[in-house]
């Protein structure tokens, strides 16, 4: 195989990529799925931690609110039955022992004067009596709000220093006291925020959590616990909305990295399951695709078989060694041999004519060497099984497989016997039609011939009569003079007879039918052949004929009779276009010269110009249509035949308007490449 038929490297690479792209995509999908599942598992674990922290914070706020409500009920029970100060102090001391978050309990009258108080035994706090009696203190503000809402009210938090430089955030609770629907005083309870976290929240905390009271702006007031540091911080905040006071309970949880190993195992199992399902889906789809391809292949084979059986074009395939690998029924019917007789043959095909076998072998060897014939096809001759020869048109092309490799040749054969027969019939019909047109032209000229021949015949008769009179009549003239007169008369008779003979010969040469023979003819000879007929009609219509032939115009390769007919038809049409007496001057101009306007090479241009009224637009559209004419006696075949003849000679026929009036018909023929001397 030649280098031109080797498979390029990129075709192999593309084929390999197509084979492995699906599995590469599957591996990438599995890895992406594994990473995504691990990430989703981590996100899920983080969301679980955050949700749990949110629930713990909400539960802690609920516990604090319930504990404060219970404390409020216990405080209301201290003044039930209007106890005296000693009894009240005993009961208050017991309450402080039970509720460690309370730092101090005070009993005040309506004027905010202190009647009795007790302090928690768990911590020593120095209280300044003067500051607590200040009307602008936190206690006074809480009680004023409690009086206004007729219920318990809390004050804002404040920092209370303790011994050894320590301190604690405190808040006040003021509870109005009533008896028989009448206000009798206030109970003031001081809460330590740190103790509230320890006693009311601490029992529900885990070791990894940190709880704190903060203000709405984020300032921390009290902190419980010290969370262990981890990779990620989770935070939950919840409002503790109390009458007169709003606190924020914040809980922080430092969580370690997600549990990678369980997540990886879960993700791996999930990914393998997904991969298994994906592979099953791919296999099912591949199986369906294969079944569909087999079904389509069966349909394609059946369709191709139906096409092969219906084709009238013969098909033949050969491998690189020249062996016939395939023939269709049309080819077998064309040559008369069956497919079994032809398949496998490589040398000396039975449909080769014996006299052309050597030529065909040489042509086949040239093709095997890599020189392909032109794709437009070439003609050859085959032999049927019964020995009859027939012409075929062969079109060959290389066979290329799916990998782009050259595996042989495919040939298409057309039996052109019928085409050749039709062409011969068409040529014969064309010749008969042209002969008919020439006879019609002669018929039209019959009256002109009779008029034209009358003149030379009358002159001949006159000169003959005069000669006889000179011979018979006696006279004074000498015999020599008389003999000269008779000789002159005979010369005139000969010239007139020759003139009549030329007219008749021109018509005879034009009308007679003969085989088409191409010969190199000088343009002047073509014009001389039709000039008597042209002059004959020109004199009748009063038209002056002018002929100009350039000196350097070479001979033209043509069929003399057909080209003379074209020139005569164009000249007659030009003369008939000037039959209006009002058109002056009436001149027929025939010009022959070289023209290079059609592209490479030179052309011989024949131009026939008239001074008529021109061609209208309605006539121009149908000018070359067969049997279309503007004359009553015309057949409508002249211009159609002229164009056919010119095109058969490889030329073109056209027309254009002539200034100031008239029309110019021009036909151009290619130069004779090897003109005859």
């Amino acid at each position: 195989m030649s280098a031109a038929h080797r498979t390029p490297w990129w075709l192999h690479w593309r084929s390999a990529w197509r084979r492995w792209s699906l599995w590469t995509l599957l591996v990438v999908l599995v890895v992406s799925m594994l990473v995504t599942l691990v990430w989703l598992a981590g996100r899920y674990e983080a969301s679980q931690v955050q949700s749990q922290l949110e629930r713990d914070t909400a539960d802690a706020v609920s516990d604090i609110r319930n504990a404060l409500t219970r404390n409020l009920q216990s405080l209301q029970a201290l003044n039930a039955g209007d106890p005296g100060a000693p009894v009240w102090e005993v009961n208050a001391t017991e309450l402080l022992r039970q509720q460690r978050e309370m730092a101090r309990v005070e009993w005040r009258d309506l004027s905010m004067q202190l009647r009795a108080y007790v302090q928690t035994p768990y911590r020593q706090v120095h209280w300044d009596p003067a500051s607590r009696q200040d009307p602008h203190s936190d206690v006074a503000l809480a009680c004023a709000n409690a009086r206004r809402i007729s219920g318990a009210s809390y004050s804002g938090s404040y920092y209370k220093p303790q011994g050894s430089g320590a301190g604690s955030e405190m808040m006040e609770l003021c509870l109005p006291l009533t008896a028989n629907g009448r206000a009798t005083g206030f109970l003031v309870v001081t809460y330590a925020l740190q103790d509230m976290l320890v006693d009311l929240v601490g029992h529900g905390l885990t070791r990894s959590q940190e709880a704190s009271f903060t203000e709405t702006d984020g300032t921390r007031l009290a902190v419980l616990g010290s969370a262990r540091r981890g990779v990620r911080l989770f935070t939950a905040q919840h409002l503790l909305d109390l009458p007169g006071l709003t606190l924020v309970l914040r809980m922080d949880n430092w969580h370690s990295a997600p549990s990678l190993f369980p997540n990886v195992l879960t993700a791996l199992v999930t990914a393998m399951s997904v991969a298994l399902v994906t592979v099953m889906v791919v296999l099912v789809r591949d199986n369906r695709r294969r079944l569909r391809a087999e079904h389509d292949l069966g349909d394609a084979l059946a369709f191709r078989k139906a096409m092969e059986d219906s084709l009238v074009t013969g098909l033949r395939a050969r491998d690189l060694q020249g062996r016939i690998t395939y023939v269709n029924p049309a080819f077998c019917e064309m040559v008369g041999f069956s497919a079994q007789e032809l398949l496998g043959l490589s040398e000396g095909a039975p449909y080769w004519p014996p006299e052309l076998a050597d030529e065909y072998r040489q042509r086949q060897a040239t093709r095997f060497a890599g020189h392909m014939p032109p794709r437009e096809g070439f003609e050859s001759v085959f032999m049927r099984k019964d020995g009859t020869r027939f012409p075929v048109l062969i079109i060959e092309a290389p066979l290329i497989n799916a990998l782009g490799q050259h595996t042989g040749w495919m040939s298409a054969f057309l039996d052109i016997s019928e085409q050749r027969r039709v062409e011969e019939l068409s040529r014969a019909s064309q010749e008969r039609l042209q002969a008919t047109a020439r006879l019609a032209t002669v018929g039209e000229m019959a009256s002109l011939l009779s008029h034209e021949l009358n003149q030379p015949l009358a002159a001949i008769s006159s000169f003959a009569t005069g000669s006889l009179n000179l011979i018979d009549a006696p006279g004074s003239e000498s015999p020599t003079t008389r003999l000269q007169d008779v000789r002159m008369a005979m010369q005139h008779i000969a010239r007139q007879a020759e003139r009549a003979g030329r007219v008749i010969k021109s018509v005879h040469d034009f009308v007679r039918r003969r085989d088409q023979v191409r010969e190199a003819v000088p343009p002047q000879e073509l014009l001389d052949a039709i000039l008597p007929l042209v002059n004959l009609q020109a004199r009748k219509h009063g038209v002056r004929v002018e002929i100009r032939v350039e000196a350097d115009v070479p001979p033209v390769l043509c069929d003399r009779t057909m080209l003379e007919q074209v020139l005569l038809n164009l000249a007659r049409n030009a003369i008939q276009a000037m039959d209006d007496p009002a058109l002056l001057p009436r001149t027929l101009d025939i010009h022959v010269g070289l023209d290079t306007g059609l592209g490479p090479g030179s052309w011989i241009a024949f131009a026939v110009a008239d001074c008529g009224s021109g061609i209208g637009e309605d006539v121009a559209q149908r000018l070359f249509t067969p049997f279309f004419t503007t004359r009553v006696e015309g057949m409508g075949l002249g211009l159609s035949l002229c164009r056919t003849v010119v095109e058969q000679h490889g030329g073109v026929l056209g027309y254009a308007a002539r200034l100031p009036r008239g029309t110019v018909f021009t036909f151009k023929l290619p130069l004779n490449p090897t003109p005859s001397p």
Side-chain angles (χ1 to χ4, degrees):
M1 185 168 51
S2 61
H5 298 144
R6 294 175 183 171
T7 304
W9 63 269
W10 57 271
L11 288 178
H12 293 289
W13 181 86
R14 185 174 64 179
S15 177
W17 165 250
R18 288 178 178 176
R19 290 195 301 269
W20 292 102
S21 59
L22 181 62
W23 295 107
T24 302
L25 181 62
L26 181 60
V27 171
V28 172
L29 178 64
V30 171
V31 173
S32 302
M33 185 73 69
L34 180 61
V35 174
T36 303
L37 288 176
V38 172
W39 178 75
L40 290 177
R43 288 290 303 272
Y44 176 76
E45 185 176 347
S47 64
Q48 290 294 103
V49 173
Q50 181 67 33
S51 299
Q52 183 62 40
L53 188 61
E54 294 284 350
R55 290 194 297 270
D56 291 344
T57 305
D59 293 343
V61 169
S62 178
D63 292 343
I64 293 174
R65 186 177 287 110
N66 293 334
L68 293 178
T69 301
R70 290 192 300 271
N71 291 346
L72 190 62
Q73 295 173 354
S74 298
L75 291 173
Q76 290 175 346
L78 287 177
N79 291 80
D82 192 16
V87 176
W88 182 90
E89 290 179 355
V90 172
N91 293 335
T93 301
E94 182 63 24
L95 179 62
L96 291 181
R97 286 194 180 95
Q98 296 176 0
Q99 308 297 334
R100 298 188 178 188
E101 66 274 11
M102 297 182 183
R104 180 183 175 92
V105 178
E106 296 178 349
W107 182 10
R108 295 175 181 261
D109 56 16
L110 290 176
S111 60
M112 297 298 295
Q113 296 298 319
L114 186 62
R115 296 182 58 184
Y117 72 93
V118 293
Q119 295 186 166
T120 180
Y122 301 112
R123 69 174 58 86
Q124 296 296 326
V125 181
H126 176 69
W127 303 93
D128 185 7
S131 62
R132 297 185 65 83
Q133 294 295 331
D134 187 356
H136 300 290
S137 63
D138 293 326
V139 176
L141 295 176
C143 290
N145 188 47
R147 185 184 296 113
R148 181 176 59 82
I149 65 176
S150 300
S153 176
Y154 293 87
S155 69
S157 63
Y158 60 91
Y159 182 76
K160 179 64 176 177
Q162 298 179 3
S164 303
S168 178
E169 286 286 336
M170 304 289 186
M171 70 175 183
E172 304 290 345
L173 167 65
C174 183
L175 176 65
L177 300 176
T178 59
N180 299 324
R182 184 170 54 85
T184 59
F186 301 94
L187 277 179
V188 178
V189 181
T190 303
Y191 281 98
L193 297 183
Q194 182 69 30
D195 294 337
M196 289 178 63
L197 290 176
V198 173
D199 295 334
L200 304 182
V201 180
H203 63 278
L205 291 179
T206 63
R207 295 183 178 181
S208 61
Q209 292 176 341
E210 180 181 86
S212 61
F213 279 124
T214 65
E215 295 182 349
T216 55
D217 60 358
T219 304
R220 289 198 177 192
L221 303 177
V223 179
L224 174 64
S226 179
R228 293 179 299 176
R229 299 299 176 183
V231 177
R232 186 173 178 182
L233 174 64
F234 295 87
T235 300
Q237 296 181 350
H238 206 286
L239 289 178
L240 178 61
D241 193 8
L242 301 174
L245 175 65
T246 299
L247 292 177
V248 177
L249 178 63
R250 172 176 173 174
M251 298 189 71
D252 297 329
N253 187 356
W254 288 89
H255 191 66
S256 60
S259 302
L260 185 61
F261 186 71
N263 292 336
V264 169
L265 289 179
T266 303
L268 186 59
V269 172
T270 305
M272 294 302 295
S273 302
V274 172
L276 181 60
V277 173
T278 304
V279 171
M280 292 180 62
V281 171
V282 170
L283 291 177
V284 170
R285 291 183 59 186
D286 184 68
N287 187 41
R288 291 180 178 177
R289 191 182 301 111
R290 184 180 295 106
L291 293 177
R292 191 183 304 114
E294 292 177 356
H295 182 268
D296 294 342
L297 181 60
D299 292 343
L301 290 176
F303 181 72
R304 195 190 75 170
K305 186 66 170 58
M307 288 183 60
E308 293 173 356
D309 294 341
S310 63
L311 281 178
V312 296
T313 302
L315 297 178
R316 181 196 65 190
R318 292 188 295 178
D319 58 16
L320 294 176
Q321 287 72 37
R323 291 187 296 268
I324 299 177
T325 58
Y326 167 79
V327 288
N328 69 335
F331 183 81
C332 295
E333 183 179 357
M334 185 182 301
V335 298
F337 294 93
S338 64
Q340 290 74 15
E341 293 175 310
L342 296 176
L343 294 178
L345 296 179
S346 61
E347 291 291 339
Y351 47 81
W352 287 356
E355 66 275 10
L356 300 175
D358 293 337
E359 178 184 348
Y360 290 178
R361 288 190 183 92
Q362 183 178 1
R363 187 171 61 192
Q364 179 173 295
T366 303
R367 186 178 303 108
F368 289 167
H371 303 286
M372 291 297 298
R375 295 297 291 271
E376 59 269 15
F378 58 94
E379 294 186 11
S380 185
V381 177
F382 278 1
M383 182 180 66
R384 294 188 177 92
K385 194 173 185 179
D386 58 3
T388 58
R389 271 71 167 171
F390 64 99
V392 292
L393 177 64
I394 305 176
I395 303 175
E396 286 196 308
L399 274 177
I400 307 298
N401 63 9
L403 298 179
Q405 297 176 348
H406 180 207
T407 59
W409 290 271
M410 173 61 74
S411 305
F413 301 88
L414 293 175
D415 186 351
I416 56 177
S417 302
E418 184 65 20
Q419 179 181 347
R420 291 290 179 265
R421 188 182 67 83
V422 172
E423 290 177 356
E424 183 64 25
L425 291 176
S426 176
R427 186 187 62 81
S429 300
Q430 186 73 14
E431 290 181 357
R432 287 194 296 270
L433 184 60
Q434 292 171 1
T436 302
R438 288 195 295 271
L439 291 175
T441 302
V442 172
E444 294 177 7
M445 293 182 178
S447 60
L448 296 177
L449 284 172
S450 63
H451 177 270
E452 183 68 17
L453 291 176
N454 280 334
Q455 294 180 5
L457 291 177
I460 291 172
S461 177
S462 298
F463 284 119
T465 303
S467 299
L468 292 175
N469 292 334
L470 288 174
I471 295 173
D472 296 336
S476 58
E477 297 178 354
S478 63
T480 303
T481 303
R482 186 179 299 177
L483 183 59
Q484 291 177 351
D485 293 337
V486 173
R487 182 181 292 109
M488 184 179 299
M490 291 297 103
Q491 291 176 353
H492 284 290
I493 291 174
R495 282 197 295 268
Q496 295 299 325
E498 183 181 0
R499 176 185 173 188
R502 284 199 305 266
V503 173
I504 296 174
K505 183 177 183 299
S506 298
V507 176
H508 178 267
D509 291 341
F510 180 74
V511 173
R512 68 174 181 169
R513 180 181 177 185
R514 61 184 179 84
D515 294 336
Q516 296 182 2
V517 178
R518 297 288 178 91
E519 55 182 330
V521 183
Q524 187 63 51
E525 292 185 9
L526 298 174
L527 297 176
D528 293 341
I530 67 167
L531 191 56
L533 299 177
V534 173
N535 289 332
L536 183 67
Q537 190 169 6
R539 281 194 295 271
K540 178 181 178 182
H541 291 81
V543 176
R544 183 167 56 90
V545 179
E546 294 183 357
I547 298 177
R548 293 180 293 121
V549 180
E550 297 179 1
D552 56 348
V553 177
V556 59
L557 183 64
C558 66
D559 185 292
R560 179 191 294 266
T561 302
M562 295 178 66
L563 211 57
E564 289 174 358
Q565 181 181 354
V566 172
L567 288 170
L568 182 59
N569 284 342
L570 294 180
R572 291 180 60 249
N573 290 343
I575 293 173
Q576 293 172 358
M578 297 182 289
D579 58 358
D580 188 357
L583 297 175
L584 292 176
R586 292 195 290 272
T587 303
L588 172 62
D589 186 7
I590 302 178
H591 175 262
V592 181
L594 293 177
D595 187 0
T596 58
L598 293 181
S602 297
W603 300 70
I604 299 179
F606 294 80
V608 180
D610 62 68
C611 297
S613 58
I615 300 175
E617 294 183 359
D618 54 341
V619 177
Q621 295 178 357
R622 305 175 58 189
L623 188 61
F624 294 99
T625 303
F627 304 106
F628 171 75
T629 180
T630 57
R631 303 197 308 272
V632 177
E633 70 279 4
M635 296 180 60
L637 293 174
L639 289 178
S640 177
L641 287 175
C642 289
R643 185 174 63 175
T644 301
V645 170
V646 171
E647 290 178 351
Q648 287 178 351
H649 283 75
V652 292
L653 172 63
Y655 71 94
R658 183 186 186 189
L659 298 178
R661 72 174 189 272
T663 307
V664 180
F665 278 86
T666 304
F667 66 91
K668 301 178 182 181
L669 301 177
L671 281 176
N672 180 17
T674 56
S676 301

